[in-house]
Each structure stands twice: as C-alpha cells, then as structure tokens.
C-alpha cells in the first residue's frame, strides 16, 4: 500500500539548520515512507522547508521564493493520517496549521520603551512565535531600541565570533 499523504505531485523537503540530527533521521524516514523526498540543499525542486525557528540562510531562501516553511510537527501529523486516502499534507488548510511564525524561536529584547508600549510589543512578539528576553541574554537574536539621537552599531554573533577568533 502506498502511503501517499505527501504526494503533491511530488513534495520535496529540506530540513533546516535548527532540526536536531536525531529528529532529522526520523523525519527523513517518515517523509520517504509517505512518498516525499528530501534534498541536501535548497534548490528549485524544494517545495517545503522544515525547521524549528525563523532565520538562517535556508529560511531566507525559502522566504525569497515563497516556499512553505513549516515545523517538524507537520510531518508527524501527516504520518498520523497516512492511511486516510482522502488526506493530503500539502492542502493549504493542513499546511497552514504548521507554518512557522515570523519570529518563531527568536529571542528579542525591547529596550527603552514605556512599560505599556513594551508590554504591547511583547504580546505581539509572542503571537508571532518570538521569545522576549533582556540584553544580558547571550542568545538574544534581536534588539529593538527606542533610543533617539544615538549612533548605534549592531554587531551580529557571526561578526563578533569572526572578529575574536
């Protein structure tokens, strides 16, 4: 029996940098079992990017070319429905449930805002999958500041690591 819930005519997935190695092995097995395929790099055949957080080179590529960017749970939920011949994991109503949110997995610090305004921004951030943090958090991915008339230089983790190696 063919388990065709990823057929579309052909669903080609790429696993993002944020998916753990053990999870990748399991997801690849499930995707292959349901008739999909995996690529080792982003190219024109890829239809879906599976990842846990927004950001990174693969994420930017998928955003640029409007590919479906979905959580690993998409594969797991499709697997649960694999014997339903009327089910397709690529139907927009199903895919939409598993789409990655704009700030999913990103740690964002808001700095210099009035408390009420900052709380509103935190609420919006959480709605979009982000995690509020403070300036001391070494995993902070974004800083949003209200500072006026100040020269600000933002240095990414990658730039800092390169300049100190």
């Amino acid at each position: 029996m063919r388990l065709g819930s990823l057929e579309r005519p052909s669903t080609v997935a790429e696993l993002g940098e944020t998916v753990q190695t053990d999870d990748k092995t399991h997801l690849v097995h499930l995707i292959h079992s349901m008739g999909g395929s995996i690529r080792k790099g982003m190219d024109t055949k890829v239809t879906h990017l599976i990842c846990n957080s927004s950001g990174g080179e693969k994420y930017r590529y998928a955003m640029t070319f409007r590919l479906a960017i979905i959580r690993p749970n998409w594969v797991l939920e499709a697997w649960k429905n694999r014997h339903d011949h009327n089910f397709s994991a690529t139907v927009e109503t199903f895919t939409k449930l598993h789409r990655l949110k704009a700030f999913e997995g990103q740690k964002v610090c808001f700095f210099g805002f009035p408390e009420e305004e900052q709380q509103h921004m935190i609420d919006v951030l959480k709605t979009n999958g982000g995690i509020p943090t403070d300036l001391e958090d070494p995993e902070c991915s974004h800083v949003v500041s209200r500072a006026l008339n100040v020269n600000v230089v933002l240095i990414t983790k990658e730039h800092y690591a390169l300049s100190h190696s």
Side-chain angles (χ1 to χ4, degrees):
M1 169 169 61
R2 176 161 158 60
L3 304 175
S5 61
L6 293 178
E7 75 288 344
R8 189 187 170 184
S10 62
T11 300
V12 180
E14 170 61 20
L15 298 171
E17 297 94 341
T18 59
V19 179
Q20 299 298 318
T21 302
D22 291 344
D23 294 337
K24 282 184 181 182
T25 302
H26 182 61
L27 293 172
V28 167
H29 171 73
L30 296 180
I31 289 167
H32 285 156
S33 296
M34 291 185 285
S37 62
I38 298 289
R39 302 293 282 194
K40 289 196 180 210
M42 298 298 285
D43 62 28
T44 57
K45 295 185 190 236
V46 173
T47 59
H48 294 73
L49 173 64
I50 301 169
C51 54
N52 289 315
S53 65
S54 60
E57 189 176 322
K58 292 177 182 181
Y59 180 83
R60 285 188 295 277
Y61 179 94
M63 287 294 293
T64 299
F65 293 101
R66 298 178 179 246
L67 303 179
I69 304 171
I70 48 181
R71 294 180 204 91
N73 197 39
W74 176 73
V75 177
L76 303 176
E77 290 298 315
W79 182 254
K80 289 178 185 175
N81 291 288
R82 69 190 180 277
H83 295 297
D84 180 350
H85 295 290
N86 296 318
F87 174 79
S88 173
T90 59
V91 173
E92 180 61 26
T93 53
F94 181 75
T95 302
K96 188 176 182 178
L97 297 172
H98 303 282
R99 284 198 189 278
L100 212 64
K101 294 182 179 181
F103 283 97
E104 193 144 343
Q106 301 299 318
K107 290 188 166 188
V108 180
C109 171
F110 297 101
F111 181 73
F113 293 94
E115 188 175 331
E116 185 176 310
E117 188 175 352
Q118 183 165 329
Q119 186 56 55
H120 173 70
M121 290 188 295
I122 288 171
D123 293 343
V124 171
L125 174 68
K126 287 179 177 179
T127 300
N128 286 285
I131 304 161
T133 191
D134 55 41
L135 285 172
E136 288 78 33
D137 186 346
E139 294 181 359
C140 179
S141 59
H142 299 74
V143 176
V144 180
S145 174
R146 187 182 185 146
L148 302 174
N149 298 322
V150 175
N151 291 327
V152 177
V153 177
L154 296 178
I155 299 175
T156 65
K157 288 180 196 176
E158 292 83 10
H159 182 264
Y160 182 82
L162 288 174
S163 66
H164 286 82
S165 56

